[in-house]
């Protein structure tokens, strides 16, 4: 281990600590391939300690007894503290994930907003009274699950931390987070800030390590009451199976292959940059990336040419070089994307345009040039699989019915977009698209903190963000009072 690099620590029971076995994982910068920090490589024993701390905080500690108003106040302090450390956190997130600095800054703004939003909502979640016949009064209470285990990925560590932890803590749960081994420095740093914000010991625990060891130990732990997972469908199934052994609930957010549908009557100039940004944002490593563009036949040639011209000018380089895209997270992800490109070449899928990697990009960085493919066969892997890279597939469509069929021809269903000036068509299309969020004449909503988010089909189940995110982090208790004399 090189002493000049910072060793980050787990947060367990309010204390920053190394893994019990003192093992560490090297943190590699995606821009230059160099090690620049270390994180704990935690084992089952560390996870067990964290779950016990969370259990104690919820069952017997200060956290479990705290009023919703007090919880909200602490979360607001945390939000303000995040804002104060915004540039430090953004730089850390950018270097750790490879995302361009402006994206990392937007992510930290969204992170602070999650805590602000859920701080305000903490004491505004009510139960109901239900009329039933006879001498009964029936009440429902919304209660926290207890201990929530959150497994978060590397593409948006800070934002996903915000949506999971903000909602879980606001509802009164205690939390154990296992962030991704590929990028989690912002999350570990947030553990330090949470202590400064006055979060009671054990309310939030953060334990880094591999998915196979620490992640799996968390999902199998019998003392965790509910899980939130964001990641791949394969791992999502493992998490769901492990949770099922203890009959625990899970929200799963498993990515997508989202379609952006553009009709001839749309404002094409307005749509163009939005459509491009929806796929190059975070170098395409976004669950809600708009990775398919469906273009009405009559404007296919003209619009795909315009897209191609813009694509050819896109530049990829280091995270801090102020370009359009940064590197991909890892060599593993780079190989996944390269394999899709080689397969597209073998299948002679039409390459309409390719951006560039700047000349002086470090050789050991994980760079990939953004690419636009045209007339993509609808059942090819390029059209069907989540690539998680800056690769956009274009398809022509004949009419509304054809556009809907193509859009829904996917095992995923996370997000969709429709570009048209016809109001009735906007609604028809929005209702027909099988996805959790549908944008009309836009894409993305600055993190969409207030908006329910989640998938249909293989994109997962359960909803995060907004007030629905709070409901997921709670359960209903019904109290039936017999007031007969
Ligand atoms: O994901 P994993 P990976 C997709 C994307 C990407 C692919 C693979 O297509 O190319 O998944 O990425 C933890 N028990 N998404 O391999 O394995 C792991 O440590 C419990 C989409 O990184 O799903 C990390 O914290 N946990 C996605 C988290 O799961 C386990 C974001 C995600 O890793 C585990 C990321 C196990 N057995 C990738 N194995 C999105 N929806 O945005 C791993 N983990």
């Amino acid at each position: 281990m090189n002493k000049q690099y910072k060793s980050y620590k787990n947060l367990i029971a309010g204390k920053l600590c190394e893994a019990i076995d003192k093992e560490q994982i090297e943190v590699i910068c995606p821009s230059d391939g160099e090690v620049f920090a270390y994180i704990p490589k935690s084992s089952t024993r560390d996870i067990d300690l964290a779950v016990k701390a969370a259990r104690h905080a919820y069952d017997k500690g200060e956290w479990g007894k705290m009023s919703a108003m007090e919880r909200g106040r602490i979360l607001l302090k945390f939000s303000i503290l995040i804002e104060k450390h915004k540039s430090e956190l953004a730089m850390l997130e950018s270097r750790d994930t490879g995302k361009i600095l402006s994206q990392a800054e937007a992510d930290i703004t969204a992170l602070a907003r999650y805590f602000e939003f859920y701080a305000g909502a903490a004491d505004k979640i009510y139960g109901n009274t239900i009329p039933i016949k006879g001498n009964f009064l029936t009440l429902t209470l919304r209660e926290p699950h207890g201990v929530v285990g959150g497994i978060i990925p590397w593409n948006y560590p800070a934002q996903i931390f915000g949506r999971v932890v903000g909602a879980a803590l606001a509802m009164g749960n205690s939390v154990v987070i296992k962030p991704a081994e590929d990028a989690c420095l912002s999350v570990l740093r947030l553990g330090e800030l949470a202590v400064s914000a006055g979060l009671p010991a054990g309310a939030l625990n953060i334990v880094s390590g591999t998915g196979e060891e620490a992640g799996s130990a968390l999902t199998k732990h019998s003392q965790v009451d509910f899980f939130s997972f964001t990641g791949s469908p394969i791992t999502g199934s493992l998490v769901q199976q492990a949770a099922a052994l203890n009959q625990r609930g899970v929200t799963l957010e498993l990515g997508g292959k989202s379609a952006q549908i553009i009709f001839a009557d749309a404002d094409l100039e307005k749509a163009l940059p939005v459509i491009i940004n929806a796929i190059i944002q975070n170098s395409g490593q976004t669950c809600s990336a708009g990775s398919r563009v469906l273009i009405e036949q009559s404007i296919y040639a003209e619009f795909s040419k315009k897209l191609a011209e813009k694509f050819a000018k896109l530049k990829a380089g280091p995270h801090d070089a102020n370009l359009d895209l940064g590197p991909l997270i890892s060599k593993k992800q780079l190989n996944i994307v390269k394999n899709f490109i080689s397969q597209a070449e073998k299948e002679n899928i039409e390459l309409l345009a390719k951006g560039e990697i700047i000349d002086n990009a470090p050789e050991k960085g994980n760079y990939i040039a953004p690419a636009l493919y045209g007339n993509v066969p609808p059942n090819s892997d390029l059209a069907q699989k989540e690539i998680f890279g800056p690769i956009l597939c274009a398809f022509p469509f004949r009419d509304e019915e054809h556009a809907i069929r193509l859009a829904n021809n996917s095992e995923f269903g996370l997000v969709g977009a429709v570009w048209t000036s016809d109001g009735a068509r906007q609604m028809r299309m929005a209702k027909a698209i099988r996805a959790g969020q549908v944008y009309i004449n836009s894409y993305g909503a600055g993190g969409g903190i207030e908006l329910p988010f989640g998938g249909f089909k293989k994109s997962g189940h359960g909803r995060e963000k907004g007030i629905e995110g709070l409901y997921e982090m709670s359960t209903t208790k019904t109290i039936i009072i017999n007031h007969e004399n």
Side-chain angles (χ1 to χ4, degrees), residues 319-335:
H319 62 279
D320 51 1
N322 201 15
L323 300 167
D324 303 299
L325 304 90
L328 299 182
I329 185 74
S330 61
K331 291 278 172 276
K332 174 183 149 192
Q333 191 59 33
L334 184 64
N335 286 335

Side-chain angles (χ1 to χ4, degrees), residues 152 154-155 178 181 211 215 231-232 235 253 255 287 332-333 386:
I152 61 179
W154 42 262
N155 54 341
K178 204 302 281 176
E181 56 273 43
S232 63
T235 306
E253 196 271 83
C287 46
K332 174 183 149 192
Q333 191 59 33
E386 182 180 59

Side-chain angles (χ1 to χ4, degrees), residues 151-155 160 178-182 209-212 215-216 219 229-233 235-236 238-239 253-255 286-287 332-333 336 386-388:
I151 294 185
I152 61 179
W154 42 262
N155 54 341
I160 297 176
K178 204 302 281 176
E181 56 273 43
D182 286 315
T210 65
E212 291 73 20
S216 161
T219 58
F229 173 81
T230 302
S232 63
T235 306
L238 293 177
V239 169
E253 196 271 83
L254 308 175
T286 302
C287 46
K332 174 183 149 192
Q333 191 59 33
I336 292 176
E386 182 180 59
I387 300 173
F388 236 50

